[in-house]
Amino acid sequence: MADLELRGLCKTFGQVLAVDNLNVTAADGEFVTLLGPSGCGKSTTLNLIAGLEQPTAGDIYLGGTRITDLPPNERGIGMVFQDYALYPHMSVFDNIAFSLKLRRVVRSEIERMVGYVSQMLDIAHLLERRTAQLSGGQQQRVAVARALAKQPQIFLFDEPLSNLDAALRVRMRTEIRRLHLHLQTTSVFVTHDQEEAMTISDRIAVMRDGRLEQLDSPMEIYRRPRSIFVATFIGKPGMNVFQGQLQADEDGITFASPGLELCWKSRQEARLESSWSGEAIIGVRAEDAKLQDPGATVPEEGAFIAEVTLVEPIGSDSFVEVTRDSQRLLARVNPERQFQRGQMVQVEVPAAKLHIFDSGTDLRING
Ligand code: ATP
């Protein structure tokens, strides 16, 4: 069993609090991604797990054993770095075999293992080449193969795809996912790319300023972001948000912000468990905002009139930006539908699709 547990992990560099009381777990065989903007402490956290940095406070457990004070080579980790960290003048074979030789594994076993992992990563034909002679994508595969050959208890990936071009990046993330499904080795993956995190992970730990914002499955994070930060960070585009005054009671919900007034009949439908009133942020995803053709019957709730200010076709969908006073909303629509700049449309925000956050705490208040 190689379940990972970070308990109250802290790391300061001088005045900078890089990791702030982090509690994250990865179950045995789980693929957990640390996701967040630049500087939020993802790499520092990974380096703490690897033993490349020492925590200021807190503990790390792997398979129930406290590894906080163990040197990196005794932790049973296989790490893949952003810049691959290969030995450029060694052959692919020797790069993959390096840690096995250090451990004095017998030659025949090294050959078997290198053969096995190089087949798995489709680089068996490159074993004699020097890594300096390989493309970025091939170097990336060698780096994963080298980590794999160690048969680690846990894989740590530090932005391993960020030096690849867009197409190769998408292909490699699928391969890493497939490899994981095959091997079922506990993995921690660092990225600032939310789409990459969504597609590759069992669970995502969203980080901000060294702290954990939310740890959940990708869909739960998308559907029920716990804070306004997660709501706007996750999703392409991020969630549409409006700040204003919200009043929710037995008569329903009213929301007022400059130039925009909305009401819904039932707070239960918006999954608001009790009455609430105050400064709030409401959010709606682009695919949940409905654009009605002009002249359609005005819905009784959650609707407003706005002007189409931008139309962006992306093939499978179109994004239509609508503006009401200075408030903007992006809606995702079927590309067959025609919208023109300057056209007036009705925008409907269904109660069931509403996300409501307390402006004071930035935290979600509906279910
Ligand atoms: P990125 O995506 O840009 O790599 P990150 O989320 O991985 O960012 P970290 O590299 O972990 O973030 O850095 C977290 C904070 O700690 C940042 O403010 C960074 O400047 C600081 N930091 C990281 N390493 C050191 C160091 N060795 N000395 C001083 N400050 C550091």
Side-chain angles (χ1 to χ4, degrees), residues 134-205:
L134 302 178
S135 71
Q138 290 168 332
Q139 290 188 32
Q140 168 54 237
R141 283 165 193 273
V142 176
V144 176
R146 183 178 59 179
L148 210 65
K150 291 173 81 176
Q151 294 184 281
Q153 289 201 76
I154 184 166
F155 279 123
L156 305 178
F157 296 94
D158 191 1
E159 304 239 13
L161 309 180
S162 57
N163 288 336
L164 305 178
D165 68 49
L168 195 54
R169 207 179 157 131
V170 169
R171 217 171 77 211
M172 278 308 291
R173 82 177 181 215
T174 309
E175 287 202 26
I176 289 180
R177 181 74 185 146
R178 199 170 289 140
L179 201 64
H180 175 72
L181 292 173
H182 176 66
L183 297 170
Q184 300 277 312
T185 304
T186 313
S187 301
V188 181
F189 186 96
V190 161
T191 183
H192 60 266
D193 180 334
Q194 54 96 23
E195 187 180 306
E196 197 165 282
M198 290 288 285
T199 52
I200 210 167
S201 320
D202 294 319
R203 284 193 304 158
I204 299 175

Side-chain angles (χ1 to χ4, degrees), residues 65-202:
T65 306
R66 184 173 169 278
I67 61 164
T68 321
D69 304 320
L70 282 186
N73 61 353
E74 290 176 25
R75 293 189 179 203
I77 54 162
M79 192 152 176
V80 180
F81 297 90
Q82 181 172 356
D83 58 4
Y84 317 134
L86 299 171
Y87 302 105
H89 301 298
M90 279 189 198
S91 68
V92 170
F93 183 99
D94 287 338
N95 266 278
I96 298 174
F98 192 76
S99 67
L100 303 177
K101 285 183 181 165
L102 279 186
R103 270 194 265 152
R104 299 183 192 282
V105 175
V106 294
R107 180 81 196 170
S108 58
E109 175 57 19
I110 291 179
E111 281 176 1
R112 193 195 65 78
M113 183 53 93
V114 175
Y116 172 68
V117 297
S118 59
Q119 288 279 333
M120 198 178 280
L121 281 143
D122 203 16
I123 49 171
H125 58 296
L126 301 174
L127 289 176
E128 301 310 316
R129 290 243 206 119
R130 286 186 188 171
T131 54
Q133 300 166 332
L134 302 178
S135 71
Q138 290 168 332
Q139 290 188 32
Q140 168 54 237
R141 283 165 193 273
V142 176
V144 176
R146 183 178 59 179
L148 210 65
K150 291 173 81 176
Q151 294 184 281
Q153 289 201 76
I154 184 166
F155 279 123
L156 305 178
F157 296 94
D158 191 1
E159 304 239 13
L161 309 180
S162 57
N163 288 336
L164 305 178
D165 68 49
L168 195 54
R169 207 179 157 131
V170 169
R171 217 171 77 211
M172 278 308 291
R173 82 177 181 215
T174 309
E175 287 202 26
I176 289 180
R177 181 74 185 146
R178 199 170 289 140
L179 201 64
H180 175 72
L181 292 173
H182 176 66
L183 297 170
Q184 300 277 312
T185 304
T186 313
S187 301
V188 181
F189 186 96
V190 161
T191 183
H192 60 266
D193 180 334
Q194 54 96 23
E195 187 180 306
E196 197 165 282
M198 290 288 285
T199 52
I200 210 167
S201 320
D202 294 319

Side-chain angles (χ1 to χ4, degrees), residues 13 16-18 36-45 53 159 190 192:
F13 295 105
V16 179
L17 187 52
S38 183
C40 73
K42 308 178 294 288
S43 298
T44 304
T45 304
E53 298 279 4
E159 304 239 13
V190 161
H192 60 266

Side-chain angles (χ1 to χ4, degrees), residues 49-66:
I49 301 169
L52 304 175
E53 298 279 4
Q54 272 305 300
T56 315
D59 270 309
I60 304 168
Y61 288 81
L62 186 59
T65 306
R66 184 173 169 278

